[in-house]
Structures are given as C-alpha cells and as structure tokens.
Amino acid sequence: MTGVAPHAAWLPDDAFAAIGSRRVVVAGDGALTATIAEEVAAATARFGGAFSRLDVGDGVSDAELVLTLAPSLVEPVETIEVSTRDASAGSGAAAEVSGIDESFRFMREAGAVVVQAGTDAGLLHGLFHVVRLGETAFDGPDTDETHAPATDLRMLDHWDNVDVHPTMGQVERGYSGGSIFYDNGFVRADLSRVERYARLLAAVGINRVAINNVNVHEHEARLLTDDLGDVVRVAAVFRRWGIRVHLSVSFASPVTLGGLDTSDPLDQDVAHWWVRAAARVWDAIPDFGGFVVKADSEGQPGPFAYGRTHADGANMLAAAVEPYEGLVHWRAFVYDHRQDWRDRSTDRARAAYDHFHPLDGAFSENVVVQVKYGPLDFQVREPLSPVLAAMPHTRVALELQVTQEYTGQQQHAVYLGQQWSQLLGFRFWEPDGVGGGSPTVADLATGRGKAANDPGTGRWRKPAGGFAAVSNVGDDEFWTGHPFAQANLYAYGRLCWDPTLDPGALLDEWVGLTFPGAPDAVGEAVRAVLDRSWETYEQYTAPLGVGFMVRPGHHYGPDVDGYEYTPWGTYHFADRDGIGVDRTVRTGTGYAGQYPSPWSATYESLSTCPDELLLFFHHVPYTHVLHSGKSVIQHIYDTHFEGVSRVEEMIGEWSKVSTLVDPRVSERISERFAEQLRSATEWRDQVNTYFLRKSGIPDERGRTIY
Ligand code: GCV
C-alpha cells in the first residue's frame, strides 16, 4: 500500500449529509442490517441527526427515513428458476431469474421516506439509493417505487496474482499500483482496504467478485486448497457488504494439486477430486459463489488435452458445485495464439463461435459461458461477439473490461460508459434504431432475450448469465490511477443494475457523489472532458475497427506493425495499396456469416458495412470512399489530427476548474493529461507517417506528417 489514506471515491462523508442530518430508523435483523445500521449511525453522529434501531413493525411515527425489512417479504428466493419473461417486458423490470431477492421499495410521503425490502441485501441497495439521491430523496412529490436489478449476476473479475509475476506483475493488466488483496506472495494481513472497496462496490450494486487472475499460476492455484483459509478471510470482508467471493481455478488442479495423473473431465477420479475440493470450499465459505475458468486459452490447461469438449469440462465442474448452488463461469475466450501469420485463412475472430456455438444446449444449468463483448480482445472498437446471439439454450454473460488495457491504461481519460451503453443496446436481429421487438444484448445477458431464430419456444431458455468485467482497482491512492477512471467502475456497477441507464447521467451521479458541494462548473467540465472521450481515443489510435496497433506485450502506445508478423492472430494486412481484414463469406474468412440476419448481410457488403467497422470486415484500397464521403486515407489523417486537438480541448476544459477540487486529485489529473497529450501525439504521428509512407498519398490539407 502507498501509506496514504485511500481516496473516498464516490463515498465521501459528505455524500451522507442528507441522511445524516435526519431522524433515521433502521428496523430488522440480519448481517447486512447491522452494516446499514453502522452506516446510518456514523452519518447521523457526523451530521447531527438521530438514529434508532428498532424491531420490524415497531412504532416509528416521527422518523424522516425508515429503512426496514418487510415482515411479509423476509423469505429470500432461494431456488433458481428458468425465466419465462418475454423480451417485451423490457429492461429495468424485476428479474425473475435466480438467487436472493435484492429488490427494494422506495416510498415518500410528505417528505418522509420509507425504504422497505424483503431481504437485508435489498435494504442495503435501498440505503445506497437514498445516498445517491441525497436531498432529492426527501424533496419530491409523494411516490411509491419498486427497484430491482436487471440480473442477480453482477460480477467483477480481478486479474490479481498472489505472487508478483515476472512479466505481468502483481496485477495482470493492472494500472493502479499493487493488488489490494495480495502483497508479494501473501494475502494481506490488513484487509481494511478490501473493506473500503467492498463498500464502494456495494454502493453501485456489484454483488460478486472473483479475487484472482484467470491465468492461474502455481501459487494462486492453491487458494483452492492449502490457502483456502486466506480466501475465508477475504470472503468474510465482502460478506458484510452482500458480495460473494468466487475463485479462478486451474483446470489442471487434479494433477498439479491433487497428484493425479490426469485432469480428464470424464475420469471418475478427477470428478471426485473436484467434488471433494468443492465440498471443502463450501464448508469453509457457505456463501461462496463458484469457479471462474479460462481453459485452452493462451496456455491455460483445458479439456482439449484429453480430446474432450468445453461442455465436458464445464459440466464436470458444474456437477461438483451444484449441491451448493455454485456457478461455473466458463470463459469463451478460446483461440489459437500460435497461429502462422502467413496463413490468411485462420481468423482469430472466428474462434469463440466455432468452438462454442456447436455446444449450445450442452452446458449444465449452473454453467455461465462468459463472452468478451467483441470477437478479439477488448479493443476500442469491435463488433459484438456473435457468440452472444448463437447460444439461446445457454446462460451467457457479457464480459467487459473496466481496466483500460487497450483504452489508455488509466493514463488517458477515457470514459467507457458510452461504449458499454452502445454494446448493451445492440440488437442482433434488427439494425440499431429500427423497431423494438428483438432483444438487446442486455436482454440476452439478463435472461429476457427472445431469440428470433430459435425454432422452439422463441424464448431464451436458460436463466440469466449476467455481467462480468475486469476490475481496474489497485492499491493506488485514487484506487484507479487516473481519478477519472473511477467513473468507469462506477458506471459498470450501475449499468449492471440497470443497463438502460444513460451513461452521461451516470457521470453526473458520479460527479455529484465524488465532488460533493463543488460548483456546477466542475460537473460541466467533467462532462466536457469525458462525454466524447471514448470516441476521441478511437480517433487518435487504430482507425475504422482495425485494432491492435499497440506495442506488443504491455499494449501501451502505438506500434502499427507490432503484432503483424506474430502468432497472435491480430493483423491489419496493410500494404502499399490498402488495408483491412477480409472477413466476408464471399472472399474472406467467413466471419461475417457468424451473425444472424440482417447483420451478416450488412457486414458482408462493402456498401452497407458501417464506417467504424469497415477495416474489421473488409480489405479496401486507401482511396475507398466511406459513407462519410472521405477516403480511407483522408479519414485516417483527419481523425488523428482531430483526436489530438480534442485532447488539447479536454485539457483546456479541465484547467478552468482544476483549482476547485482537492489539490491531490487535481495534481494527478494534470499529470495524466500531460501523458495523454504526449501519447496521443505519438499515436497521431506514427500512424499518419506509417500510412503516408505505405500509401504515398499526401494529406489533402498539407499538414505535417513525417
Ligand atoms: C488474463 C488478453 C490480455 C491477457 C488476459 C487475457 C484474458 O489477452 O492481454 O492479459 O489474460 O486477455 O482475457 O484472459
């Protein structure tokens, strides 16, 4: 740890002023009710209100805020049921699928508020709802609203290593210092930072956390066995905030930890080994969530070694955890990372669909197939992964990356809310913006999907798979390196709860909580800086959906040919005449055909493929004219110049208010802006120069290119 007290992020003391200055009653028992009571007691002590703890149903006539368990609703929903909800029910309505009921009622009458919930988890979400509303919770007209999450699977994955990995460090793709869980080989003795983190996550609605890297190295594998006691300690901290802990496990554990000579999922001894391992884990942690598995991917072991399918592997684990209602999050990120760049027929983008689509319907009920949003790897622009639409009989989770591996590594101010919102609202069976009948990606992930191409009931048949994302947090003073990157974590949690929330409004919420009492100009500047920051980053980096022009290994900064002749399968094929990957069915790798209609045809045709994905789907001459009316080469030049100008404007906007916030925050933001401008300029100059030299076509506007 840095030794400096961690920044309060979106829960500074002042965020509790509206609650703390009132007469508040907390009624009901339960572990989380105790947490709520502590929060309220601290707030009322600080701001001069009054707090009492009563039994459910006791008289509370003069209270201004009552947070109470509802006696009639106290039985939690414990069974997993298959959703029968129609897509027409829309997002934002109560999820019918699984797990604990986390809903709450918010009632206001003559300025007094009652929050009522059937479970203490619901009540905790209700408390944070009031925190978010602040004074407006008590201000408005009388109301009676029910709030419920879109899905009960709202998860963060940590890629933290127990040991410092020789190349990946303590946190793989971590840009915020060390791990909050581990310190050079040990789980930290002091987990107070984890407690603060859990509180922040609870406040945005996250309810599950996987605490170790999906690349499970030797030491980390032992969290499942010898080091389980450490996981027990971490789980106890998260439990107070309604968050369940999951572990990433190695598929080879029966061999590496159990001394067996195989990890074949169809071998009885292997299955028994996992049954015993699961029994030990749930014995120690009764509310343990389940296992996350990266198998047959980037060197991680998996069922292919035994000629078995991924369904064989996942279902064997699923059987072991089923008695405890545990889950197996099985990642669909499976591809050949030892490909020959000379072979133009192999396409990494095809791989997940090719492996998983044939297995639709073969996975057990408690397996969630976790699918990265795009077919490659969290690039700033990719089409939606067709796997999400291809498995109507499987629980699918959408996987996002809050840590900014390919979006500026928390040196650059890049707010991802708009990207996620766009992904969540995408409809596979209809072009964007036309009609409203077919499910959005959010519907598919939250179990509301109605698969237009499903010949059976026309319904998505399995319960929700929910959402998972890679965390961006470390032991950095500001949690996320760049203070603005906190907004990404905030928005991810809130979008999991309700994927229809407006990303701009979420920024306002985040500013309101994080900088309480700041003049309106601060919020306006944050919006001016972040609203278009995703698009800006796209402008000065890789153009038109081509991706992966980053420096190999650490993935920061430009290197147009960095991955061009490597085995990783991430090519752009630029030559003197043109650029892009032909993924059409007619002349290319056939990837476009993995989409349902109409997107398969839309992407297949040069005349209908959206500009922003043109080079993902087509190889075209530099002179090809986009729908925008510009040639590809002029688009490259223009966007790269404009991207850097926009960074300069962002810096200008922020400088107007930088003195109005905590000087430490301000200093860190200035530092990061300086680096963003340097790096964006480097991107602009390298990308423009590369393509000028390749194409020989000058910039129409005669600007400086080297
Ligand atoms: C944890 C990308 C990252 C890897 C990561 C992998 C994954 O390839 O660069 O660091 O490994 O994705 O998602 O498993």
Side-chain angles (χ1 to χ4, degrees), residues 24-141:
V24 188
V25 166
V26 176
D29 295 324
L32 300 190
T33 319
T35 304
I36 295 165
E38 278 172 34
E39 286 288 317
V40 172
T44 48
R46 196 174 299 120
F47 293 100
F51 162 64
S52 35
R53 179 102 193 250
L54 298 178
D55 289 331
V56 174
D58 282 357
V60 286
S61 56
D62 72 335
E64 294 161 285
L65 170 62
V66 177
L67 295 148
T68 181
L69 289 178
S72 56
L73 300 174
V74 281
E75 286 301 312
V77 182
E78 278 174 355
T79 51
I80 295 185
E81 292 167 18
V82 176
S83 172
T84 54
R85 176 177 292 281
D86 278 353
S88 57
S91 298
E96 283 186 286
V97 280
S98 61
I100 302 282
D101 172 16
E102 295 174 282
S103 65
F104 63 89
R105 244 173 110 183
F106 175 87
M107 294 167 277
R108 180 174 49 229
E109 201 180 318
V113 169
V114 175
V115 176
Q116 197 182 58
T119 65
D120 56 359
L123 201 59
L124 186 65
H125 295 305
L127 167 73
F128 285 119
H129 181 71
V130 179
V131 171
R132 274 194 301 277
L133 293 176
E135 278 304 324
T136 60
F138 305 91
D139 268 358

Side-chain angles (χ1 to χ4, degrees), residues 159 172-173 214-215 294 298 331 333 372 377 405:
W159 287 353
E172 180 154 349
R173 310 309 179 187
V214 290
N215 291 332
K294 170 175 176 177
E298 301 183 335
R331 296 178 83 229
F333 184 59
K372 288 191 182 187
D377 195 8
E405 177 177 359

Side-chain angles (χ1 to χ4, degrees), residues 323-600:
Y324 320 100
E325 294 181 13
L327 292 173
V328 173
H329 279 79
W330 190 271
R331 296 178 83 229
F333 184 59
V334 178
Y335 72 99
D336 177 10
H337 72 290
R338 296 202 181 92
Q339 151 179 352
D340 184 349
W341 57 268
R342 301 165 192 86
D343 165 18
R344 283 180 88 134
S345 66
T346 307
D347 181 7
R348 169 169 166 178
R350 291 188 57 114
Y353 180 102
D354 286 344
H355 289 303
F356 283 86
H357 171 59
L359 299 176
D360 183 35
F363 290 97
S364 301
E365 196 84 344
N366 57 334
V367 173
V368 172
V369 173
Q370 185 170 315
V371 184
K372 288 191 182 187
Y373 69 78
L376 287 183
D377 195 8
F378 300 132
Q379 300 302 289
V380 67
R381 179 76 68 172
E382 289 185 50
L384 263 298
S385 168
V387 178
L388 293 162
M391 306 197 71
H393 309 101
T394 305
R395 298 175 81 167
V396 285
L398 176 71
E399 182 177 329
L400 301 171
Q401 197 182 39
V402 185
T403 194
Q404 291 171 236
E405 177 177 359
Y406 298 100
T407 49
Q409 303 198 350
Q410 283 134 253
Q411 295 290 333
H412 297 221
V414 179
Y415 176 57
L416 294 167
Q418 278 89 3
Q419 182 193 33
W420 298 334
S421 180
Q422 210 177 84
L423 299 171
L424 290 163
F426 182 83
R427 294 175 197 276
F428 277 102
W429 291 276
E430 270 174 13
D432 282 343
V434 181
S438 79
T440 60
V441 165
D443 291 331
L444 303 184
T446 60
R448 295 185 176 83
K450 195 174 182 180
N453 64 346
D454 179 358
T457 59
R459 295 223 170 92
W460 218 249
R461 304 247 189 85
K462 288 278 169 94
F467 302 108
V470 190
S471 176
N472 63 350
V473 154
D475 70 355
D476 163 62
E477 177 182 357
F478 297 99
W479 297 95
T480 53
H482 201 313
F484 286 156
Q486 288 179 7
N488 284 326
L489 188 60
Y490 185 90
Y492 169 69
R494 299 282 291 127
L495 286 169
C496 288
W497 181 278
D498 181 355
T500 65
L501 290 171
D502 173 60
L506 290 176
L507 270 182
D508 291 338
E509 250 181 54
W510 174 74
V511 172
L513 291 165
T514 307
F515 305 105
D520 289 351
V522 171
E524 285 156 20
V526 169
R527 292 293 299 265
V529 167
L530 293 182
D531 268 345
R532 295 194 304 166
S533 56
W534 166 50
E535 190 185 288
T536 301
Y537 186 81
E538 181 182 24
Q539 285 187 314
Y540 61 76
T541 57
L544 299 165
V546 77
F548 268 101
M549 291 181 171
V550 288
R551 297 209 177 109
H554 58 63
H555 297 169
Y556 188 72
D559 188 343
V560 179
D561 279 340
Y563 275 103
E564 199 55 17
Y565 308 105
T566 70
W568 294 93
T570 51
Y571 313 123
H572 55 65
F573 298 122
D575 57 23
R576 65 178 182 178
D577 301 317
I579 176 173
V581 190
D582 184 353
R583 294 195 161 104
T584 64
V585 175
R586 206 170 58 81
T587 53
T589 68
Y591 169 79
Q594 293 184 340
Y595 288 85
S597 174
W599 285 106
S600 48

